[in-house]
Amino acid sequence: MSDWVDHGQSGAAPYADDRRAYDGGGAYSGGRKRRRWGRTILIVLLVLLLLLIGAYFYLDSRLNRIDVFTDYPGRPGDTPGTNWLIVGSDSRSGLSSEERKKLHTGRAEGKRTDSMMLLHIGDHGTTLVSLPRDSYVPIPGHDPNKLNAAYAFGGPKLLVRTVEGATKIHIDHYAEIGFGGFVGMVDAVGGVNMCIPQRIKDTAAGIDLKPGCQTLNGPEALGFVRTRHAFASQDLQRVQNQRKFLAALTHKATSPGTLLNPFRIVPFVLRSTSDFSVDKDDHLYNVAGFAWAMRGLTKGDGLTTTVPIGGNGYSASAGAYITWDTTRSGELFRALREDQPVPKSLRSSN
C-alpha cells in the first residue's frame, strides 16, 4: 500500500513539472510567445500597408489634372509604345513680385511654352526628342506659325493636336511644369549636379556659371534651362541643356540618397504632385513610369536628340523661325511610330 502511495507521489512530481512547463517558460509558452510576435508583426505590416495605400491616394489626389486630349478627324491611331509630351511653361502663377525678381522671370502674363519634348518609351529603350519652340509648323485653325504659338492660341489641347499633326505620332500622356514648380522640385532634392563646359553668363536669365561640375540650386537651374543668348546656336543649345537637366533631375530624385531621405523625398513628392500638371485621366503610377523611363536615359538605356533641323526662315506673323528637315525628321518619327530603333544617321549631338 505504501509502495502504491509512494509511486503516486513520485509520479506526481514530474507531472506537476510538466504542468509548469506548459504554463510558464517551457516549450508550450514559448509557442504562445511566437504566436504573439507573429500577430504583432502582422498588425504592423497591415498598418504600414494601409498607410502606403492612403499615401498613394492622397498624393494621387494632389496631381493637377487638366483636360488635354480630344478626338478629332484624322487623329493618328494608337501606336506601339508609350508617348509623352513634356512641356515646360513660362507660367509665373503663384510667384510673388520678390520671387519674380529673384528668378528673373519678368512680369509677362499668361502662359507660353518655354520647352517641348517628346518622350517615347518602347521595346528599344527610351527616346527623348526636343521640339524647338521656334519650329515652323502647321497649326490647326490658324496659319502656320512657331510651335509654341499653338499653346498660346489654344492651350494644351491645341498644342497636342499640333504635335500629333506634325509628327503623326499618337500622344498618350501629357506633363507640364511651370517656373515656380521647377525651382521647388530642384531645391527639394538638394540641387542637381551639372558639368558646365564653358562659362555661361546671361543677365536676362540671371546666371553667371563658371566652367566645371557643380550643384545648381533652383534659381540657377531655371536660368540654365532658360538661357539661349549665351550660345551661338541659341535655342538648339538650350534644348540640349533642357534634356540633360531633366534627365539629371529625374536621376537625382529617384536615387537612394533621395528616396531614403524623408527630408528630401517628402518635399519633392509634395511639390511635384501639386505643381505637375497631367491629363485628367492620368494617375500617380503613370508619373512613376515616366520618372523611371527618364532615369533610364542617364544610365545609357536610350537616346536623347533634337528633331533634325532643315533651315531658317522669317514671316511677318511668326518672326524668325526654324524648319525641320522633312526627310530626316520623317524617318525619325516613323521609327518612333513603329517602335523601331532610331537610325544612327538621325542622332544629332544637340
Side-chain angles (χ1 to χ4, degrees):
M1 183 71 178
S2 60
D3 290 341
W4 182 82
V5 173
D6 291 342
H7 177 74
Q9 290 173 343
S10 62
Y15 179 75
D17 290 341
D18 286 345
R19 288 181 61 92
R20 286 191 296 271
Y22 276 93
D23 292 338
Y28 288 90
S29 64
R32 285 201 301 271
K33 288 182 179 180
R34 285 194 294 270
R35 287 196 295 272
R36 285 197 296 270
W37 272 108
R39 285 195 296 268
T40 301
I41 293 173
L42 180 60
I43 291 172
V44 170
L45 291 176
L46 287 175
V47 170
L48 289 175
L49 179 60
L50 290 175
L51 287 175
L52 288 174
I53 293 174
Y56 173 86
F57 284 105
Y58 169 70
L59 294 173
D60 187 73
S61 69
R62 286 174 56 89
L63 285 172
N64 182 29
R65 292 183 172 87
I66 53 179
D67 190 7
V68 175
F69 297 105
T70 183
D71 288 326
Y72 55 87
R75 185 184 184 193
D78 196 14
T79 52
T82 302
N83 301 303
W84 284 80
L85 182 61
I86 308 167
V87 173
S89 79
D90 65 357
S91 171
R92 296 149 177 84
S93 176
L95 295 178
S96 65
S97 298
E98 291 183 359
E99 289 172 326
R100 293 187 183 193
K101 183 178 180 180
K102 178 182 178 182
L103 300 177
H104 295 263
T105 64
R107 297 180 175 275
E109 298 300 326
K111 290 197 299 183
R112 286 161 294 276
T113 48
D114 214 45
S115 64
M116 287 155 285
M117 287 174 269
L118 177 64
L119 177 70
H120 174 77
I121 308 169
D123 290 339
H124 299 281
T126 302
T127 303
L128 183 63
V129 181
S130 289
L131 308 174
R133 68 176 191 173
D134 291 341
S135 302
Y136 195 66
V137 294
I139 299 178
H142 301 268
D143 293 332
N145 208 317
K146 294 178 182 178
L147 182 57
N148 69 338
Y151 190 99
F153 293 154
K157 281 189 176 182
L158 185 57
L159 178 62
V160 167
R161 184 172 178 178
T162 299
V163 171
E164 288 184 334
T167 65
K168 302 298 186 292
I169 292 176
H170 182 95
I171 305 299
D172 303 297
H173 303 282
Y174 179 89
E176 179 185 323
I177 184 73
F179 284 165
F182 178 83
V183 171
M185 290 168 64
V186 173
D187 284 339
V189 297
V192 175
N193 186 265
M194 293 296 295
C195 292
I196 311 297
Q198 64 188 56
R199 183 183 181 186
I200 302 177
K201 184 176 182 179
D202 185 352
T203 54
I207 56 171
D208 186 1
L209 303 177
K210 304 298 189 292
C213 296
Q214 54 202 283
T215 299
L216 303 184
N217 61 27
E220 291 170 336
L222 181 62
F224 177 71
V225 299
R226 291 185 63 211
T227 184
R228 60 174 176 171
H229 300 299
F231 311 110
S233 58
Q234 295 213 13
D235 202 41
L236 296 181
Q237 179 62 45
R238 177 168 70 167
V239 296
Q240 182 181 8
N241 291 343
Q242 290 169 347
R243 289 198 310 270
K244 288 181 178 180
F245 192 87
L246 179 60
L249 172 60
T250 308
H251 182 80
K252 178 74 175 288
T254 55
S255 67
T258 299
L259 294 175
L260 300 178
N261 185 343
F263 296 102
R264 286 188 175 177
I265 189 59
V266 172
F268 177 81
V269 171
L270 292 177
R271 287 304 301 258
S272 59
T273 52
S274 63
D275 296 325
F276 214 58
S277 295
V278 295
D279 179 61
K280 60 182 179 63
D281 293 326
D282 280 333
H283 292 278
L284 196 60
Y285 62 83
N286 298 119
V287 177
F290 159 80
W292 191 254
M294 286 298 303
R295 176 179 172 81
L297 290 174
T298 63
K299 300 169 64 176
D301 181 23
L303 165 72
T304 64
T305 189
T306 300
V307 59
I309 303 302
N312 302 283
Y314 181 87
S315 74
S317 60
Y321 58 76
I322 61 176
T323 59
W324 295 351
D325 183 312
T326 305
T327 301
R328 299 179 71 238
S329 64
E331 292 176 8
L332 169 65
F333 296 135
R334 185 182 306 111
L336 299 181
R337 280 197 304 272
E338 298 174 359
D339 195 23
Q340 296 298 315
V342 175
K344 291 184 179 180
S345 61
L346 301 177
R347 304 181 182 190
S348 72
S349 59
N350 292 319

